Amino acid sequence: MTTVEAETGRLKSEADEPGWEVDPDDEWGVAVIATVGRQLKLRREAVGMRAAEFGRAIGYGEDLVYKVEGGKRIPRQEYLDRADEVLGAGGLVAATWEDVKKVRYPKKVRELGQLEGKAVEIGVYECNSVHGLLQTPGHARALMEAAQPPYSPDDVERMVAARLARQTVFDRDPAPSLHFVLEEAPVRRQVGGTMVWRQQLEHLLEVGRLNNVTLQVMPTNTDAHPGVDGKIELLKFPDGTAVGRSDGAFNGRAIADPRQLRILELRYGTIRAQALPPRESLAFIENLLGET
């Protein structure tokens, strides 16, 4: 054990960096993290601590301290809490987490989460995987870890956390109306191994039994349907407006034009009509669970 480890416990390694890389295209996120970093640096210098000394005190290396202070890394809550204690900030540094947590996920994920958080109705047809709003942590992690080229462990955890954060849509009051149609093949796929797959099936059953959720499975042996070109998403809002997106229509871009939305609604309605009814879909998943 080194002197540093003896004094501060396990020193975080490069793989345990206290946060994530800042997305340079996220102007708001860059500004928030840069401001937090400057505050940390000014407070550290005000108490007369060098970066290396400060890093030892909070359990991180000097290089990581410079990255956070330079706005290059998004600090985690534990980093800010520990920094607050060491600097005697009286909770002011720890309080910056309220701003940091708003920008810790990629910009596109935040924007999607904001739309889902406002929607009164969400309709999804997913053909290649279990939809993100329905994934368990183990299932989501296994999907991220299967990517090529591979993501770093830190990026995997960031993306898993971002995906799970969107699932607060199920906790909203009043609850939105949620409709999911999943293809049979990805429901059968044992992503992450038998135990992770069992947990995913159990989670689908739990969510599918909620009063505000309709879950349907599209059998593999069905005829061709309008979803063979890819996923479809429809979100409707309290003011009567809506947005939608389909892999197989309008170049995959998000659309809000009523005429284009009617096309997606027609396709989605046809898909729902061809899928197994909700009760039969839950029975199908129960049977799969019994086979494990």
Side-chain angles (χ1 to χ4, degrees), residues 214-217 219 272-284:
T214 300
L215 178 61
Q216 295 178 256
V217 174
R272 292 189 65 187
Q274 286 187 233
L276 294 176
R279 182 176 298 178
E280 291 182 26
S281 296
L282 294 181
F284 174 84

Side-chain angles (χ1 to χ4, degrees), residues 36 41 51 55 68 75 100 132 158 163 169 189 191 213 217 227 244 280:
V36 171
K41 181 178 180 181
V68 172
V100 171
R158 181 190 188 189
R163 182 157 296 179
V169 68
R189 187 171 297 123
V191 173
V213 175
V217 174
E280 291 182 26

Side-chain angles (χ1 to χ4, degrees), residues 77 104 107 130 137 149 161 166 187 223 234 255 267-268 272:
Q77 187 173 17
R104 58 181 164 160
K107 182 179 180 181
V130 173
R166 289 171 48 206
V187 174
D223 290 334
L234 287 164
I255 54 99
R267 294 183 179 185
Y268 186 59
R272 292 189 65 187

Side-chain angles (χ1 to χ4, degrees), residues 66-217:
Y66 282 128
K67 286 182 178 180
V68 172
E69 293 182 351
K72 304 300 182 183
R73 298 290 293 186
I74 303 174
R76 293 192 176 117
Q77 187 173 17
E78 63 177 21
Y79 183 97
L80 296 173
D81 288 344
R82 184 64 183 138
D84 192 280
E85 295 175 8
V86 170
L87 297 174
L92 294 178
V93 168
T96 61
W97 174 247
E98 292 302 313
D99 295 317
V100 171
K101 71 180 181 181
K102 296 175 183 177
V103 299
R104 58 181 164 160
Y105 304 133
K107 182 179 180 181
K108 290 183 178 179
V109 175
R110 294 203 313 271
E111 292 174 344
L112 177 58
Q114 289 170 358
L115 288 175
E116 290 171 342
K118 296 176 183 177
V120 294
E121 183 177 342
I122 298 175
V124 175
Y125 162 71
E126 181 65 80
C127 53
N128 295 318
S129 64
V130 173
H131 191 264
L133 289 177
L134 299 173
Q135 291 176 11
T136 63
H139 186 101
R141 186 172 292 105
L143 289 178
M144 303 299 182
E145 291 175 343
Q148 291 294 335
Y151 295 114
S152 70
D154 199 60
D155 283 338
V156 168
E157 292 309 312
R158 181 190 188 189
M159 290 185 291
V160 170
R163 182 157 296 179
L164 297 180
R166 289 171 48 206
Q167 296 180 7
T168 56
V169 68
F170 291 103
D171 302 324
R172 284 173 45 197
D173 185 16
S177 179
L178 304 171
H179 311 274
F180 299 94
V181 181
L182 305 178
E183 284 287 345
E184 175 183 341
V187 174
R188 285 186 175 274
R189 187 171 297 123
Q190 297 189 25
V191 173
T194 302
M195 288 305 298
V196 172
W197 182 47
R198 280 189 59 88
Q199 292 169 355
Q200 181 61 69
L201 293 178
E202 290 170 350
H203 184 63
L204 289 177
L205 289 174
E206 179 183 354
V207 173
R209 292 175 178 137
L210 296 175
N211 291 334
N212 64 311
V213 175
T214 300
L215 178 61
Q216 295 178 256
V217 174

Side-chain angles (χ1 to χ4, degrees), residues 223-251:
D223 290 334
H225 58 74
V228 293
D229 288 334
K231 70 184 298 180
I232 295 175
E233 297 173 292
L234 287 164
L235 288 82
K236 299 181 180 181
F237 305 104
D239 62 359
T241 60
V243 296
R245 193 188 74 80
S246 171
D247 290 341
F250 314 115
N251 297 316

